[in-house]
Amino acid sequence: MYLCICNAITEDQVAWAVRERGAASVKAVFEVLEAKPDCGRCLGAMAEAVLAIRAGEPVGVALDPLATPWGCRGRCRPVWGVPGEIAKAS
């Protein structure tokens, strides 16, 4: 599962950064993966994942049911088109 859609960072990449490179925080994970947060919506889920991995537990990040599948509710990328444009064109 993607934990950070802006940087396309997966659970497996976070696990690798923590286990193999010793990343002990979200900031360290981003540094190891040579990325930086964009919209910031992933920070909570990544923090949960880092804690779980360090504790040797499975990553069980709770998804926000009101959010889009990637958690940023569309704020991490621009909205394509202007509302009402399609209605005007028809």
Side-chain angles (χ1 to χ4, degrees), residues 21-50:
R21 299 293 182 198
S25 67
V26 173
K27 181 180 178 183
V29 168
F30 275 106
E31 288 172 359
V32 167
L33 298 175
E34 298 178 355
K36 53 185 168 177
D38 188 3
C39 75
R41 298 285 300 165
C42 64
L43 299 178
M46 294 215 18
E48 286 180 40
V50 169

Side-chain angles (χ1 to χ4, degrees), residues 3-86:
L3 294 180
C4 174
I5 193 66
C6 295
N7 291 289
I9 297 173
T10 64
E11 280 180 39
D12 291 338
Q13 290 172 298
V14 173
W16 174 83
V18 171
R19 292 183 187 132
E20 302 298 323
R21 299 293 182 198
S25 67
V26 173
K27 181 180 178 183
V29 168
F30 275 106
E31 288 172 359
V32 167
L33 298 175
E34 298 178 355
K36 53 185 168 177
D38 188 3
C39 75
R41 298 285 300 165
C42 64
L43 299 178
M46 294 215 18
E48 286 180 40
V50 169
L51 288 174
I53 294 162
R54 291 186 69 207
E57 299 172 359
V59 176
V61 177
L63 294 177
D64 180 351
L66 299 176
T68 56
W70 51 85
C72 70
R73 295 189 179 139
R75 287 183 269 201
C76 60
R77 294 286 178 247
V79 176
W80 300 106
V82 178
E85 290 276 319
I86 296 171

